Amino acid sequence: LGQRVAPTNKSECTRLVTWFRYGHPQRVEVETADGIVKALPLSPDGLLPETLGVPVETVKGLHCYLANDSLKDVTLVDTPGLGSVHADYSASTTELLALSTDSSEAARRADAIVFLFNQAVMQDDYAALQLFKEAGGTDSLQSAANAVGVLSKADQLGDPMGDPWAVAVELADQYAGRFEAEVASVVPLIGLVAETSEAAALMERDVQHLAKLAEMDEKAFNRLVWSTDRFASASAPVETEDRERLLD
């Protein structure tokens, strides 16, 4: 979308199926199981609200309306993980894909699915992709041609002190072969870095600070990045406040 809107930290919204649509004014509509719709504003920084004002277990779904031209011809549906440790979160995703009348209709209308893989493929992953195809019925266009896999958190692969990208590409290729009947391809992604670049959060001064850090002695730099606390507080050619911003 070119903007930050979905939270990446723990919040109520990450538990719920969320629909992103074009609309004015910008708002979030909380749809409860009994048919009541409650409108809420986005947070001051443009994110989904941290709390919804109603018990999460009573919420059927969230509908987020944004004045974002990318959504004029597209509706994005974000779902909780299929393998969530919380069974009710996973059930909401399964329901969206296949079970209830409304959700099955939504799955039939979906033009494409972006499926997130973690480092270890679970049986739920395969089952979810099958549900997506089966939800469309015999007249569905859903196939490997309009499903793409994303190997998320690619920066956490391999040796922590080495470059994870080669490992991520190799693993993504393995997944692409394993799921060739379900997805067109699997691509590695570092989500937070992608969000930072696409949402224009990285400023010119941030790049200058990164360049200064890159010029450090290798051993000194490795000590600096042992932990986030050390990165922010240890001696370095960039001010502490600026390093805290880089961490954010």
Side-chain angles (χ1 to χ4, degrees), residues 26-206:
Q26 296 198 136
R27 66 196 185 277
V28 175
E29 293 186 352
V30 184
E31 180 186 7
T32 60
D34 56 8
I36 296 175
V37 176
K38 175 183 178 181
L40 295 174
L42 297 174
S43 70
D45 53 1
L47 297 178
L48 294 175
E50 280 290 318
T51 58
L52 303 176
V54 296
V56 175
E57 59 271 14
T58 68
V59 178
K60 182 179 180 181
L62 298 182
H63 302 269
C64 180
Y65 294 88
L66 300 172
N68 186 314
D69 288 347
S70 300
L71 292 170
K72 283 187 174 180
D73 300 308
V74 173
T75 296
L76 295 180
V77 186
D78 186 24
T79 73
L82 263 292
S84 171
V85 294
H86 300 284
D88 52 339
Y89 308 164
S90 297
S92 65
T93 300
T94 304
E95 179 180 279
L96 177 75
L97 289 170
L99 300 181
S100 75
T101 302
D102 293 342
S103 299
S104 189
E105 175 63 23
R108 276 194 292 271
R109 288 161 46 201
D111 295 307
I113 183 172
V114 178
F115 193 85
L116 267 65
F117 291 100
N118 290 313
Q119 296 176 25
V121 176
M122 303 296 186
Q123 178 61 31
D124 285 343
D125 296 332
Y126 179 76
L129 289 167
Q130 291 301 308
L131 281 172
F132 173 70
K133 293 202 298 187
E134 293 168 4
T138 55
D139 58 345
S140 172
L141 297 177
Q142 293 157 5
S143 70
N146 55 354
V148 62
V150 170
L151 177 59
S152 64
K153 301 179 181 178
D155 54 317
Q156 297 182 12
L157 297 171
D159 180 359
M161 299 305 293
D163 185 351
W165 199 248
V167 179
V169 170
E170 181 179 356
L171 186 57
D173 288 344
Q174 291 178 13
Y175 285 1
R178 181 174 176 181
F179 289 90
E180 62 180 353
E182 286 76 36
V183 298
S185 181
V186 178
V187 295
L189 181 72
I190 304 174
L192 291 178
V193 174
E195 180 186 65
T196 296
S197 59
E198 291 296 323
L202 190 70
M203 303 298 181
E204 183 176 357
R205 63 187 178 93
D206 299 320

